[in-house]
Amino acid sequence: MRRASREWQRLGERCMERLLFAGSLSGIVTLGAMVVFTFAAGLPVILRTGLGRFLLGQHWRPLEGEFGIAAMVVGSVFVTLGALAAAVPLGLGTAILLSEFAPPWVRRIARPAVELLAGIPSVVYGFYGLVVIVPLIRQHLGGVGFSILAGSVILAVMILPTLITIALDSLRQVPDSYRQGSLALGATRWQTVRRVVLPAARSGVVAAVVLGAGRAVGETMAVLMVTGNVAVLPESILSPVRTLTGNIALEMGYAAGEHQQALFASGIVLFILTMILNGLIQLRRVGRVAR
Amino acid sequence: MSLRRVSTLVLGLALLAVSGITVGCGSPAVQDTETVVIAGSTSVQPLSELLAEEFMKERPGVQVTVQGGGSTAGVRAVTDRVADIGAVSRPLREGEEGLKQFVIALDAIAIVVHPDNPVEELTFEQVREIYAGQITNWSALGGPDRAISLVTREEGSGTRTAFEELVMGGTPIAEGAVVQNSNGAVRATVAQDPSMIGYLSLAYVTPEVKVLRLDGVEPTVDNVKEGRYPLARPFIYVTREAPQGLVKEYLDFVLSEAGQAIVEEAGVVPAR
Amino acid sequence: MEEGLARAVLWGCLLVVLGALAAIVGHVLVQGLPGIDVDFLTTAPRASGREGGILTTIVATLYLVAGALAIAGPVGIACAIYLAEYLREGSLERIARFGVQTLAGVPSIIFGLFGFTAFVLWLGLGWSILSGSLTLAAMILPTLVKAAEEAIRAVPDSYRQGSLALGATKGQTILRVVLPVAMPGILSGVILSIGRVIGETAAVLLTAGSALGFAVSPLDSGRTMAVHLYLLAMEGISVPKAYSTSAVLILLVVGLNALATRITSRFTVRR
């Protein structure tokens, strides 16, 4: 009797372990399935067009069978860089303030506020950009308003929460003894932050920036609503541009046949772009462990 | 050893059950007689929703689902049996003629500008030259000295396809034109910029934008019906086979007097 | 001198960030709140959403949230348990972790493309709550795993040792001791995921479709609040209704965040 029940118990343990094991592979299995499905749908077009002509081609005329995504890649990169240029100083500044200077009550109010910013659906941002930011840019800076600048402003606000929360966490992880040591040597608070705390938190701060960049590259609806979606190489930050994500969301509904495959192909490029960004973070992590 | 085998068996059965459920759910998506799925053109979607709403009032218990997606997606949804009816806002293309088609309405494409723009009327030729990027300033058209900004729809859109076929006649649309993927977004773009010109489905026109006369003709329901307004295209429902059962009932309703009255109410031109 | 300037600049940063938040949330709430009443929340949209409320979109949103959590919840928690309790460092651990982390960085539109080909077309599920749930489940999986793993790792080892010393098996220890203690952390991960499901537009539009009717079976298509808002705004159907829908969405997110904060703070106190 007792032996039998122990056998059952062991059987239960085994079953559980296998189920959990299966669960642990869910991430990689899902990723694999996504790679298979998107590549199967998109790769033929890239192969037919030729990788060079697909990536560097300047003309996107899907109905005439011309698929060049250079303008979209440039669009995605510029909008992302613009967003980072605004969001990195702002986000880091806020994180440093909340971690090092602000009294606790400010942190108690600011942190949930920043998290709220992260929870607002992207369509709300896009809608706000469409009715407020785009007209503002057109009236004060010229152009049609739909522009790299409009996309960057909206994206900057959208990636602020990612930047602030991750940077804040890594700053808080710097041991207080570092700060005390520096202050005891006669450094001011700001000198301590610049010379001691920031260098110590560097890898976390870099991770925050890279994750923010990843979010910016991948954002779709909000950007689509404010960048004007012109698939031409931009001349200035006031030029309208089309991003890779925008290209997919814009034309997916109407695309068929080769056109749709080409959209999946731009999806592949986007996929690889985000994998590279992700790889950057993971490499840093491995490097840190090795050190 | 036997324990390991038993545990593997249990796991296998569990996986089988899960996949069985998934597959079992998969098959009867469309055959279900109590629902009609319509998918396709975003220009037709609001009209289809109105029609579906009225139809469901008359036939309680029946479900008519209306999807967007786009004209081409609608055709494919019908071919793939994801939808019963495809909604298309452009003439059918090569390779699509095998489908049964029913013209449910005619829609005018209105040329619109900002209400502050003094220009009232354009010729077909002028519209083409504007969109080809040959006329670039409103002063050439009797307006103020202001550069013209264009807004167009995305590649593959039914409205754009119809505009290209009817107006552009092979000349490509200038590459610098802002692209928006819906009638509403085109309207919003024009409504906030005095230098913009755009084109959109007549059903979406509101006082936020000013409609231009084209070759002297205003896009009204009557002018389209009589064939006086030149820039019009059909709204088409397509099915894979000759419609039966509930799909047929729905189509009959749409083409009935009551259905066509709803079409007219929505600001679209009835097909009959 | 430098000290003062630096502080001034940093405070400026915070003010800009909070200002942006206030501008967006304020704008939407001011325009949207007046349109929200009991009717708006409890009647179905009429005339493509130009009139009536948003009841059917609320139902579809809840349906999608429940579906995505039902699929991703067990799988994600299983993954987290295995990563935290069973796996030692090694190539298997690296592969499993690589999968989850890479998934976390994939843009939602790619999930949409994947869901569209895999579930809508290949499995033949059509535009449906089920297709949408499966797609979103894949999307929230990394969030869930990360939160659950952290929560499980935070459980002190002494708990496990105590349980094992009393003769419990490893499985019993995990189910009866570790998971209950880690539950608040897991729950806050769940709430974060709910936020992502509620706010997602692109992937939902491609997989769950945009039908306005009541979704009854998981094979019905449904339009979530975020998709409804997108269509209202972009098709220019009704700007006031669009504002009101965004206001409801924002209030929901505020509520969820408050809930998450309460759960997490309770968790911290108990430790």
Side-chain angles (χ1 to χ4, degrees), chain A residues 26-57:
Chain A
S26 57
I28 192 79
V29 168
T30 312
L31 186 68
M34 288 178 66
V35 169
V36 168
F37 274 100
T38 36
F39 277 58
L43 214 50
V45 158
I46 299 186
L47 294 179
R48 257 199 316 274
T49 317
L51 184 63
R53 270 185 56 201
F54 181 70
L55 283 179
L56 303 175

Coordinates of all heavy atoms in Angstrom, one line a residue, chain A residues 26-57:
Chain A
S26 N 8.3 27.2 -23.8 CA 7.2 27.9 -24.5 C 7.8 29.1 -25.2 O 7.4 29.4 -26.3 CB 6.1 28.3 -23.5 OG 6.7 29.1 -22.5
G27 N 8.7 29.8 -24.5 CA 9.3 31.0 -25.1 C 10.0 30.7 -26.4 O 9.7 31.3 -27.4
I28 N 10.9 29.8 -26.4 CA 11.7 29.5 -27.6 C 10.8 28.9 -28.7 O 11.0 29.1 -29.8 CB 12.9 28.6 -27.2 CG1 13.9 28.6 -28.3 CG2 12.5 27.2 -26.8 CD1 14.7 29.8 -28.4
V29 N 9.8 28.1 -28.2 CA 9.0 27.5 -29.2 C 8.1 28.5 -30.0 O 8.0 28.5 -31.2 CB 8.0 26.4 -28.6 CG1 6.9 26.0 -29.5 CG2 8.8 25.2 -28.1
T30 N 7.6 29.4 -29.2 CA 6.8 30.5 -29.8 C 7.7 31.3 -30.7 O 7.3 31.6 -31.9 CB 6.2 31.5 -28.7 OG1 5.6 30.7 -27.7 CG2 5.2 32.4 -29.3
L31 N 8.9 31.7 -30.3 CA 9.8 32.5 -31.1 C 10.1 31.7 -32.4 O 10.0 32.3 -33.5 CB 11.1 32.7 -30.3 CG 12.1 33.6 -31.0 CD1 11.5 35.0 -31.0 CD2 13.4 33.6 -30.2
G32 N 10.3 30.4 -32.2 CA 10.6 29.6 -33.4 C 9.5 29.6 -34.4 O 9.6 29.8 -35.6
A33 N 8.2 29.4 -33.9 CA 7.1 29.4 -34.7 C 6.9 30.8 -35.4 O 6.6 30.8 -36.6 CB 5.8 29.1 -33.9
M34 N 7.2 31.8 -34.7 CA 7.1 33.1 -35.3 C 8.1 33.3 -36.5 O 7.8 33.8 -37.5 CB 7.2 34.2 -34.3 CG 6.1 34.3 -33.4 SD 6.3 35.6 -32.1 CE 6.3 37.0 -33.1
V35 N 9.3 32.9 -36.2 CA 10.3 33.0 -37.2 C 9.9 32.2 -38.5 O 10.0 32.7 -39.6 CB 11.7 32.5 -36.7 CG1 12.7 32.3 -37.8 CG2 12.2 33.4 -35.6
V36 N 9.5 30.9 -38.2 CA 9.1 30.1 -39.3 C 8.0 30.7 -40.2 O 8.1 30.8 -41.4 CB 8.6 28.7 -38.8 CG1 7.9 27.9 -39.9 CG2 9.8 27.9 -38.3
F37 N 6.9 31.2 -39.5 CA 5.8 31.7 -40.2 C 6.1 33.0 -40.9 O 5.7 33.2 -42.1 CB 4.6 31.9 -39.3 CG 3.8 30.7 -39.1 CD1 3.9 29.9 -38.0 CD2 2.8 30.3 -40.1 CE1 3.1 28.7 -37.8 CE2 2.1 29.2 -39.9 CZ 2.2 28.4 -38.8
T38 N 6.8 33.9 -40.3 CA 7.1 35.2 -41.0 C 8.1 35.0 -42.1 O 7.9 35.6 -43.2 CB 7.6 36.3 -40.0 OG1 8.4 35.7 -39.1 CG2 6.5 37.0 -39.4
F39 N 9.1 34.1 -41.8 CA 10.1 33.9 -42.9 C 9.5 33.2 -44.1 O 9.8 33.5 -45.2 CB 11.3 33.2 -42.3 CG 12.3 34.1 -41.7 CD1 11.9 34.9 -40.6 CD2 13.6 34.2 -42.1 CE1 12.8 35.7 -39.9 CE2 14.5 35.0 -41.5 CZ 14.1 35.8 -40.4
A40 N 8.6 32.2 -43.8 CA 8.0 31.5 -44.9 C 7.2 32.4 -45.8 O 7.2 32.3 -47.0 CB 7.1 30.4 -44.3
A41 N 6.6 33.4 -45.1 CA 5.7 34.3 -45.9 C 6.5 35.4 -46.6 O 6.1 35.9 -47.6 CB 4.7 34.9 -45.0
G42 N 7.6 35.8 -46.0 CA 8.3 37.0 -46.5 C 9.6 36.7 -47.3 O 10.0 37.5 -48.2
L43 N 10.3 35.6 -47.0 CA 11.6 35.4 -47.6 C 11.6 35.3 -49.1 O 12.5 35.8 -49.8 CB 12.2 34.1 -47.0 CG 13.7 34.1 -46.8 CD1 14.2 35.4 -46.1 CD2 14.2 32.9 -46.0
P44 N 10.5 34.6 -49.7 CA 10.5 34.5 -51.2 C 10.7 35.8 -51.9 O 11.5 35.9 -52.8 CB 9.2 33.9 -51.5 CG 8.8 33.1 -50.2 CD 9.4 33.9 -49.1
V45 N 10.0 36.8 -51.4 CA 10.1 38.2 -52.0 C 11.5 38.7 -51.9 O 12.1 39.2 -52.9 CB 9.1 39.1 -51.4 CG1 9.5 40.6 -51.7 CG2 7.8 38.9 -52.0
I46 N 12.2 38.6 -50.7 CA 13.5 39.1 -50.6 C 14.5 38.3 -51.5 O 15.3 38.9 -52.2 CB 14.0 38.9 -49.1 CG1 13.1 39.6 -48.2 CG2 15.5 39.3 -49.0 CD1 13.6 39.6 -46.7
L47 N 14.3 37.0 -51.7 CA 15.1 36.2 -52.5 C 14.9 36.6 -54.0 O 15.9 36.8 -54.7 CB 14.9 34.7 -52.3 CG 15.3 34.2 -51.0 CD1 15.0 32.7 -50.8 CD2 16.8 34.5 -50.7
R48 N 13.7 36.8 -54.4 CA 13.4 37.2 -55.8 C 13.9 38.6 -56.1 O 14.5 38.8 -57.1 CB 11.9 37.2 -56.0 CG 11.4 36.0 -56.8 CD 10.1 36.1 -57.4 NE 9.1 36.8 -56.6 CZ 8.3 36.1 -55.7 NH1 8.4 34.8 -55.6 NH2 7.4 36.7 -55.0
T49 N 13.7 39.5 -55.1 CA 14.2 40.9 -55.4 C 15.7 41.0 -55.3 O 16.3 41.8 -55.9 CB 13.6 41.9 -54.4 OG1 12.2 41.5 -54.2 CG2 13.7 43.3 -54.8
G50 N 16.3 40.1 -54.4 CA 17.7 40.3 -54.1 C 17.8 41.1 -52.9 O 17.2 42.2 -52.8
L51 N 18.6 40.6 -51.9 CA 18.7 41.3 -50.6 C 19.1 42.7 -50.7 O 18.6 43.6 -50.1 CB 19.7 40.5 -49.7 CG 19.7 41.0 -48.3 CD1 18.4 40.9 -47.5 CD2 20.8 40.3 -47.5
G52 N 20.2 42.9 -51.6 CA 20.7 44.3 -51.7 C 19.6 45.2 -52.3 O 19.4 46.3 -51.7
R53 N 18.9 44.8 -53.3 CA 17.9 45.7 -53.9 C 16.8 45.9 -53.0 O 16.1 47.0 -53.0 CB 17.5 45.1 -55.3 CG 18.3 45.6 -56.4 CD 17.7 45.1 -57.7 NE 16.3 45.5 -58.0 CZ 15.5 44.8 -58.8 NH1 16.0 43.8 -59.5 NH2 14.3 45.2 -59.0
F54 N 16.5 44.9 -52.2 CA 15.3 45.0 -51.3 C 15.7 46.0 -50.2 O 14.9 47.0 -49.9 CB 15.0 43.7 -50.6 CG 13.9 43.7 -49.7 CD1 12.6 43.9 -50.1 CD2 14.1 43.5 -48.3 CE1 11.5 43.9 -49.3 CE2 13.0 43.6 -47.4 CZ 11.7 43.7 -47.9
L55 N 16.9 45.9 -49.6 CA 17.3 46.8 -48.5 C 17.6 48.2 -49.0 O 17.4 49.2 -48.3 CB 18.5 46.2 -47.7 CG 18.2 45.0 -46.8 CD1 19.4 44.5 -46.1 CD2 17.2 45.5 -45.7
L56 N 18.3 48.3 -50.1 CA 18.8 49.6 -50.5 C 17.9 50.3 -51.6 O 18.1 51.4 -51.9 CB 20.2 49.4 -51.1 CG 21.2 48.8 -50.1 CD1 22.5 48.6 -50.7 CD2 21.3 49.7 -48.8
G57 N 16.9 49.5 -52.1 CA 16.1 50.1 -53.2 C 15.3 51.3 -52.6 O 14.8 51.3 -51.5

